[in-house]
mmCIF file of all heavy atoms in Angstrom:
data_model
loop_
_atom_site.group_PDB
_atom_site.id
_atom_site.type_symbol
_atom_site.label_atom_id
_atom_site.label_comp_id
_atom_site.label_asym_id
_atom_site.label_seq_id
_atom_site.Cartn_x
_atom_site.Cartn_y
_atom_site.Cartn_z
ATOM 1 N N GLN A 33 16.651 36.670 2.846
ATOM 2 C CA GLN A 33 16.978 37.897 2.184
ATOM 3 C C GLN A 33 15.931 38.945 2.400
ATOM 4 O O GLN A 33 16.237 40.149 2.697
ATOM 5 C CB GLN A 33 17.150 37.617 0.663
ATOM 6 C CG GLN A 33 17.490 38.881 -0.142
ATOM 7 C CD GLN A 33 18.772 39.445 0.299
ATOM 8 O OE1 GLN A 33 19.796 38.729 0.416
ATOM 9 N NE2 GLN A 33 18.815 40.762 0.630
ATOM 10 N N ARG A 34 14.699 38.606 2.368
ATOM 11 C CA ARG A 34 13.584 39.578 2.591
ATOM 12 C C ARG A 34 13.630 40.106 4.007
ATOM 13 O O ARG A 34 13.340 41.287 4.220
ATOM 14 C CB ARG A 34 12.260 38.924 2.187
ATOM 15 C CG ARG A 34 12.082 38.798 0.713
ATOM 16 C CD ARG A 34 10.707 38.284 0.320
ATOM 17 N NE ARG A 34 10.616 38.138 -1.081
ATOM 18 C CZ ARG A 34 10.713 37.064 -1.760
ATOM 19 N NH1 ARG A 34 10.900 35.881 -1.142
ATOM 20 N NH2 ARG A 34 10.633 36.974 -3.085
ATOM 21 N N LEU A 35 13.898 39.247 4.984
ATOM 22 C CA LEU A 35 13.982 39.692 6.359
ATOM 23 C C LEU A 35 15.157 40.643 6.539
ATOM 24 O O LEU A 35 15.053 41.608 7.240
ATOM 25 C CB LEU A 35 14.052 38.525 7.267
ATOM 26 C CG LEU A 35 12.806 37.733 7.475
ATOM 27 C CD1 LEU A 35 13.019 36.494 8.333
ATOM 28 C CD2 LEU A 35 11.698 38.578 8.066
ATOM 29 N N SER A 36 16.280 40.362 5.877
ATOM 30 C CA SER A 36 17.424 41.262 5.913
ATOM 31 C C SER A 36 17.077 42.610 5.280
ATOM 32 O O SER A 36 17.469 43.651 5.840
ATOM 33 C CB SER A 36 18.668 40.623 5.207
ATOM 34 O OG SER A 36 19.073 39.497 5.934
ATOM 35 N N ASP A 37 16.417 42.575 4.192
ATOM 36 C CA ASP A 37 15.965 43.784 3.541
ATOM 37 C C ASP A 37 15.084 44.651 4.427
ATOM 38 O O ASP A 37 15.215 45.833 4.563
ATOM 39 C CB ASP A 37 15.246 43.506 2.177
ATOM 40 C CG ASP A 37 16.147 42.907 1.150
ATOM 41 O OD1 ASP A 37 17.371 42.987 1.312
ATOM 42 O OD2 ASP A 37 15.638 42.353 0.169
ATOM 43 N N LEU A 38 14.115 43.956 5.075
ATOM 44 C CA LEU A 38 13.149 44.589 5.966
ATOM 45 C C LEU A 38 13.890 45.197 7.171
ATOM 46 O O LEU A 38 13.603 46.281 7.591
ATOM 47 C CB LEU A 38 12.107 43.598 6.415
ATOM 48 C CG LEU A 38 10.968 44.183 7.180
ATOM 49 C CD1 LEU A 38 10.153 45.224 6.451
ATOM 50 C CD2 LEU A 38 9.969 43.010 7.538
ATOM 51 N N GLU A 39 14.837 44.457 7.649
ATOM 52 C CA GLU A 39 15.646 44.937 8.821
ATOM 53 C C GLU A 39 16.434 46.209 8.477
ATOM 54 O O GLU A 39 16.518 47.095 9.301
ATOM 55 C CB GLU A 39 16.614 43.805 9.262
ATOM 56 C CG GLU A 39 17.222 44.083 10.583
ATOM 57 C CD GLU A 39 18.031 42.822 11.027
ATOM 58 O OE1 GLU A 39 18.488 41.989 10.160
ATOM 59 O OE2 GLU A 39 18.189 42.623 12.219
ATOM 60 N N ALA A 40 16.898 46.305 7.235
ATOM 61 C CA ALA A 40 17.630 47.489 6.775
ATOM 62 C C ALA A 40 16.654 48.693 6.619
ATOM 63 O O ALA A 40 17.059 49.821 6.872
ATOM 64 C CB ALA A 40 18.321 47.226 5.452
ATOM 65 N N ILE A 41 15.373 48.448 6.340
ATOM 66 C CA ILE A 41 14.448 49.509 6.147
ATOM 67 C C ILE A 41 13.903 50.032 7.511
ATOM 68 O O ILE A 41 13.758 51.214 7.700
ATOM 69 C CB ILE A 41 13.247 49.023 5.288
ATOM 70 C CG1 ILE A 41 13.749 48.752 3.888
ATOM 71 C CG2 ILE A 41 12.114 50.031 5.257
ATOM 72 C CD1 ILE A 41 12.767 48.058 2.974
ATOM 73 N N LEU A 42 13.593 49.078 8.357
ATOM 74 C CA LEU A 42 12.997 49.485 9.651
ATOM 75 C C LEU A 42 14.000 49.992 10.649
ATOM 76 O O LEU A 42 15.139 49.556 10.704
ATOM 77 C CB LEU A 42 12.309 48.292 10.297
ATOM 78 C CG LEU A 42 11.175 47.631 9.504
ATOM 79 C CD1 LEU A 42 10.653 46.382 10.200
ATOM 80 C CD2 LEU A 42 10.049 48.633 9.293
ATOM 81 N N SER A 43 13.564 50.950 11.424
ATOM 82 C CA SER A 43 14.494 51.450 12.467
ATOM 83 C C SER A 43 14.446 50.545 13.700
ATOM 84 O O SER A 43 15.265 50.589 14.552
ATOM 85 C CB SER A 43 14.086 52.878 12.902
ATOM 86 O OG SER A 43 12.734 52.895 13.306
ATOM 87 N N ASP A 44 13.349 49.722 13.808
ATOM 88 C CA ASP A 44 13.223 48.826 14.926
ATOM 89 C C ASP A 44 13.047 47.367 14.336
ATOM 90 O O ASP A 44 12.090 47.086 13.592
ATOM 91 C CB ASP A 44 11.934 49.183 15.693
ATOM 92 C CG ASP A 44 11.700 48.332 16.903
ATOM 93 O OD1 ASP A 44 12.491 47.379 17.138
ATOM 94 O OD2 ASP A 44 10.774 48.630 17.644
ATOM 95 N N CYS A 45 14.009 46.544 14.638
ATOM 96 C CA CYS A 45 14.068 45.199 13.956
ATOM 97 C C CYS A 45 13.407 44.112 14.857
ATOM 98 O O CYS A 45 13.634 42.936 14.569
ATOM 99 C CB CYS A 45 15.480 44.835 13.660
ATOM 100 S SG CYS A 45 16.577 44.690 15.048
ATOM 101 N N ARG A 46 12.625 44.503 15.877
ATOM 102 C CA ARG A 46 12.014 43.428 16.742
ATOM 103 C C ARG A 46 11.083 42.525 15.963
ATOM 104 O O ARG A 46 11.098 41.341 16.196
ATOM 105 C CB ARG A 46 11.265 44.117 17.869
ATOM 106 C CG ARG A 46 12.237 44.706 18.949
ATOM 107 C CD ARG A 46 11.437 45.295 20.075
ATOM 108 N NE ARG A 46 10.914 46.565 19.604
ATOM 109 C CZ ARG A 46 10.278 47.351 20.445
ATOM 110 N NH1 ARG A 46 10.022 47.063 21.676
ATOM 111 N NH2 ARG A 46 9.802 48.536 20.014
ATOM 112 N N ILE A 47 10.288 43.064 15.006
ATOM 113 C CA ILE A 47 9.382 42.189 14.324
ATOM 114 C C ILE A 47 10.117 41.183 13.446
ATOM 115 O O ILE A 47 9.725 40.074 13.210
ATOM 116 C CB ILE A 47 8.304 43.022 13.506
ATOM 117 C CG1 ILE A 47 7.251 42.108 12.964
ATOM 118 C CG2 ILE A 47 8.992 43.747 12.351
ATOM 119 C CD1 ILE A 47 6.412 41.425 13.977
ATOM 120 N N VAL A 48 11.279 41.652 12.889
ATOM 121 C CA VAL A 48 12.098 40.763 12.110
ATOM 122 C C VAL A 48 12.643 39.610 12.939
ATOM 123 O O VAL A 48 12.612 38.420 12.567
ATOM 124 C CB VAL A 48 13.232 41.519 11.399
ATOM 125 C CG1 VAL A 48 14.206 40.583 10.712
ATOM 126 C CG2 VAL A 48 12.667 42.550 10.399
ATOM 127 N N GLU A 49 13.078 40.000 14.123
ATOM 128 C CA GLU A 49 13.597 38.942 15.078
ATOM 129 C C GLU A 49 12.510 38.003 15.518
ATOM 130 O O GLU A 49 12.731 36.805 15.602
ATOM 131 C CB GLU A 49 14.303 39.605 16.220
ATOM 132 C CG GLU A 49 15.038 38.610 17.144
ATOM 133 C CD GLU A 49 16.102 37.812 16.381
ATOM 134 O OE1 GLU A 49 16.708 38.311 15.446
ATOM 135 O OE2 GLU A 49 16.315 36.630 16.776
ATOM 136 N N VAL A 50 11.318 38.509 15.734
ATOM 137 C CA VAL A 50 10.227 37.676 16.098
ATOM 138 C C VAL A 50 9.923 36.659 14.987
ATOM 139 O O VAL A 50 9.638 35.464 15.230
ATOM 140 C CB VAL A 50 8.957 38.476 16.460
ATOM 141 C CG1 VAL A 50 7.687 37.664 16.548
ATOM 142 C CG2 VAL A 50 9.144 39.256 17.774
ATOM 143 N N THR A 51 9.912 37.172 13.772
ATOM 144 C CA THR A 51 9.652 36.289 12.640
ATOM 145 C C THR A 51 10.723 35.202 12.476
ATOM 146 O O THR A 51 10.397 34.060 12.279
ATOM 147 C CB THR A 51 9.552 37.116 11.319
ATOM 148 O OG1 THR A 51 8.601 38.149 11.521
ATOM 149 C CG2 THR A 51 9.242 36.276 10.141
ATOM 150 N N ARG A 52 11.954 35.604 12.615
ATOM 151 C CA ARG A 52 13.025 34.605 12.589
ATOM 152 C C ARG A 52 12.935 33.530 13.672
ATOM 153 O O ARG A 52 13.077 32.374 13.381
ATOM 154 C CB ARG A 52 14.417 35.304 12.715
ATOM 155 C CG ARG A 52 14.852 36.046 11.452
ATOM 156 C CD ARG A 52 16.251 36.563 11.623
ATOM 157 N NE ARG A 52 16.674 37.299 10.455
ATOM 158 C CZ ARG A 52 17.116 38.495 10.369
ATOM 159 N NH1 ARG A 52 17.271 39.194 11.476
ATOM 160 N NH2 ARG A 52 17.448 39.008 9.218
ATOM 161 N N ARG A 53 12.605 33.946 14.835
ATOM 162 C CA ARG A 53 12.400 33.031 15.955
ATOM 163 C C ARG A 53 11.221 32.130 15.735
ATOM 164 O O ARG A 53 11.239 30.914 15.998
ATOM 165 C CB ARG A 53 12.266 33.735 17.243
ATOM 166 C CG ARG A 53 13.564 34.357 17.696
ATOM 167 C CD ARG A 53 13.443 35.104 19.024
ATOM 168 N NE ARG A 53 14.675 35.831 19.358
ATOM 169 C CZ ARG A 53 14.845 36.462 20.486
ATOM 170 N NH1 ARG A 53 13.888 36.518 21.390
ATOM 171 N NH2 ARG A 53 15.963 37.018 20.734
ATOM 172 N N PHE A 54 10.118 32.675 15.203
ATOM 173 C CA PHE A 54 8.921 31.904 14.873
ATOM 174 C C PHE A 54 9.272 30.775 13.879
ATOM 175 O O PHE A 54 8.904 29.643 14.043
ATOM 176 C CB PHE A 54 7.830 32.844 14.305
ATOM 177 C CG PHE A 54 6.560 32.109 13.905
ATOM 178 C CD1 PHE A 54 5.589 31.800 14.850
ATOM 179 C CD2 PHE A 54 6.403 31.785 12.570
ATOM 180 C CE1 PHE A 54 4.402 31.223 14.465
ATOM 181 C CE2 PHE A 54 5.204 31.131 12.185
ATOM 182 C CZ PHE A 54 4.295 30.825 13.123
ATOM 183 N N VAL A 55 9.956 31.152 12.810
ATOM 184 C CA VAL A 55 10.340 30.178 11.775
ATOM 185 C C VAL A 55 11.276 29.145 12.364
ATOM 186 O O VAL A 55 11.081 27.905 12.152
ATOM 187 C CB VAL A 55 10.924 30.921 10.572
ATOM 188 C CG1 VAL A 55 11.552 29.899 9.569
ATOM 189 C CG2 VAL A 55 9.860 31.792 9.874
ATOM 190 N N ARG A 56 12.263 29.610 13.088
ATOM 191 C CA ARG A 56 13.211 28.659 13.725
ATOM 192 C C ARG A 56 12.497 27.659 14.670
ATOM 193 O O ARG A 56 12.821 26.461 14.671
ATOM 194 C CB ARG A 56 14.337 29.412 14.426
ATOM 195 C CG ARG A 56 15.537 28.609 14.787
ATOM 196 C CD ARG A 56 16.694 29.452 15.331
ATOM 197 N NE ARG A 56 16.965 30.657 14.598
ATOM 198 C CZ ARG A 56 16.884 31.887 15.123
ATOM 199 N NH1 ARG A 56 16.660 32.053 16.453
ATOM 200 N NH2 ARG A 56 17.120 32.973 14.368
ATOM 201 N N PHE A 57 11.611 28.206 15.447
ATOM 202 C CA PHE A 57 10.814 27.330 16.384
ATOM 203 C C PHE A 57 10.119 26.213 15.608
ATOM 204 O O PHE A 57 10.179 25.067 15.956
ATOM 205 C CB PHE A 57 9.838 28.221 17.141
ATOM 206 C CG PHE A 57 8.811 27.391 17.940
ATOM 207 C CD1 PHE A 57 9.224 26.829 19.156
ATOM 208 C CD2 PHE A 57 7.554 27.211 17.496
ATOM 209 C CE1 PHE A 57 8.313 26.126 19.903
ATOM 210 C CE2 PHE A 57 6.643 26.454 18.205
ATOM 211 C CZ PHE A 57 7.013 25.913 19.407
#
Side-chain angles (χ1 to χ4, degrees):
Q33 181 59 52
R34 288 184 179 103
L35 288 175
S36 293
D37 294 345
L38 188 57
E39 193 171 26
I41 293 169
L42 299 176
S43 58
D44 184 354
C45 63
R46 286 182 284 185
I47 191 63
V48 173
E49 188 58 32
V50 167
T51 304
R52 284 186 179 125
R53 290 178 183 185
F54 177 84
V55 170
R56 195 173 314 124
F57 170 79

